[in-house]
């Protein structure tokens, strides 16, 4: 029992060390100009508790967002307007703040004040940024740091339609299981063979069925000659050469080989 207690204590210490190292890794963000507005800690006194949506099936919209053009692209989920702190309430524990990148450059303090007012009222806080300017790298880097320190999910949209689709998708999948979002991959042999061979240019599913019925296995397909492959209906000489060469070309291209050899030579010097 004593050993178990020691192991638990050690695990807690390791977890604390990892947390500390994470804070240390992002400690440089504290030097940013506006960091004092988004300091982490206990929710401020003006942070409102998460308000339940007036209608659980609707996206609750802050009245200040009435003129936002992204609203017209939210079509698959109903909307309602309510007195809320964030711009959009997408569920019981999810909300979103909308920010135009151009507006952020003109009013850099705006997002800090909004985050400070929002506090930690919602478990999932989305910072939806519309990228509406060309020279955006520096501004996006700054917003990425802010999102990390404020524990927000940063999502970028390049159009009003894309921004609206993000909001309605969050709401539509609010109560869906995570498995629904995962890619469905068939595990049978033929499906795996099809996924592999159709990556070759101009090789389609019908070709894969023909190859499978002719050669019976992937090993036989890989060992077949160009002439044997070309005899298959619908394959032809060009496809046969591509299939044949694919299994015989090196994993590293010549360019990568030259680069690797050059780096090794530099190391020896």
């Amino acid at each position: 029992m004593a050993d178990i207690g020691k192991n638990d204590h050690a695990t807690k210490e390791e977890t604390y060390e990892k947390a500390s190292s994470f804070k240390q890794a992002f400690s440089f963000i504290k030097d940013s100009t506006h960091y004092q507005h988004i300091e982490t800690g206990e929710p401020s006194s003006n942070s409102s508790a998460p308000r339940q949506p007036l209608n659980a099936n609707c996206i609750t919209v802050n009245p200040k967002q009435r003129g936002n053009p992204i609203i017209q692209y939210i079509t698959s989920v109903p909307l309602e307007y309510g007195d809320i702190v964030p711009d959009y309430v997408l569920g019981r524990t999810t909300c979103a703040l909308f920010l135009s990148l151009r507006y952020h450059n003109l009013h850099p303090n705006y997002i800090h004040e909004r985050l400070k007012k929002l506090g930690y009222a919602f478990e999932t806080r989305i910072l939806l940024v519309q990228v509406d300017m060309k020279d955006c790298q520096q501004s996006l880097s700054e917003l990425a740091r802010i999102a990390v320190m404020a524990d927000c999910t940063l999502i970028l949209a390049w159009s009003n339609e894309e921004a609206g689709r993000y909001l309605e998708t969050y709401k539509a999948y609010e109560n869906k299981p995570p498995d629904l979002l995962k890619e469905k991959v068939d595990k049978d042999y033929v499906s795996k063979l099809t996924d592999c061979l159709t990556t070759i240019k101009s090789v389609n599913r019908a070709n894969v069925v023909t190859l499978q019925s002719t050669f019976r296995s992937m090993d036989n397909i890989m060992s077949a000659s160009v002439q044997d492959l070309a005899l298959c209906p619908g394959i032809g000489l060009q496809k046969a050469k591509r299939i044949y060469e694919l299994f015989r070309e090196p994993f590293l291209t010549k360019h990568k080989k030259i680069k690797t050899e050059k780096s090794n030579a530099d190391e020896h010097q």
Side-chain angles (χ1 to χ4, degrees), residues 76-77 167-176:
S76 62
V77 179
L167 293 176
E168 66 180 10
T169 301
Y170 260 97
K171 182 60 182 178
Y173 283 85
E174 178 186 4
N175 299 316
K176 298 292 190 299

Side-chain angles (χ1 to χ4, degrees), residues 31-134:
D31 298 330
S32 60
T33 308
H34 304 284
Y35 175 77
Q36 64 273 16
H37 295 292
I38 55 170
E39 287 182 340
T40 57
E42 295 298 324
S44 57
S45 56
N46 60 349
S47 298
S48 62
R51 302 188 180 191
Q52 297 299 327
L54 301 178
N55 188 330
N57 298 321
C58 297
I59 293 178
T60 306
V61 184
N62 191 313
K64 294 180 180 180
Q65 290 289 307
R66 284 185 184 274
N68 195 328
I70 72 172
I71 293 178
Q72 63 181 316
Y73 294 102
I74 304 176
T75 57
S76 62
V77 179
L79 299 175
E80 63 177 359
Y81 289 90
D83 182 18
I84 56 175
V85 175
D87 293 326
Y88 302 91
V89 173
L90 308 174
R92 295 178 58 188
T93 60
T94 307
C95 72
L97 293 177
F98 177 81
L99 179 65
S100 162
L101 197 59
R102 184 174 299 174
Y103 186 86
H104 172 68
N105 282 352
L106 295 174
H107 308 279
N109 290 326
Y110 169 79
I111 190 60
H112 300 280
E113 294 298 329
R114 293 298 307 277
L115 287 170
K116 182 179 179 181
K117 188 175 181 181
L118 179 63
Y120 295 86
F122 293 84
E123 292 180 12
T124 304
R125 296 175 296 279
I126 300 164
L127 179 56
L128 179 60
V129 177
Q130 183 171 353
V131 183
D132 50 4
M133 53 184 295
K134 292 183 178 180

Side-chain angles (χ1 to χ4, degrees), residues 224-244:
S225 64
V226 175
Q227 292 74 16
D228 292 336
L229 293 169
L231 290 175
C232 295
I235 298 299
L237 184 61
Q238 189 174 9
K239 287 184 183 179
K241 286 182 178 179
R242 288 173 181 167
I243 297 170
Y244 180 85

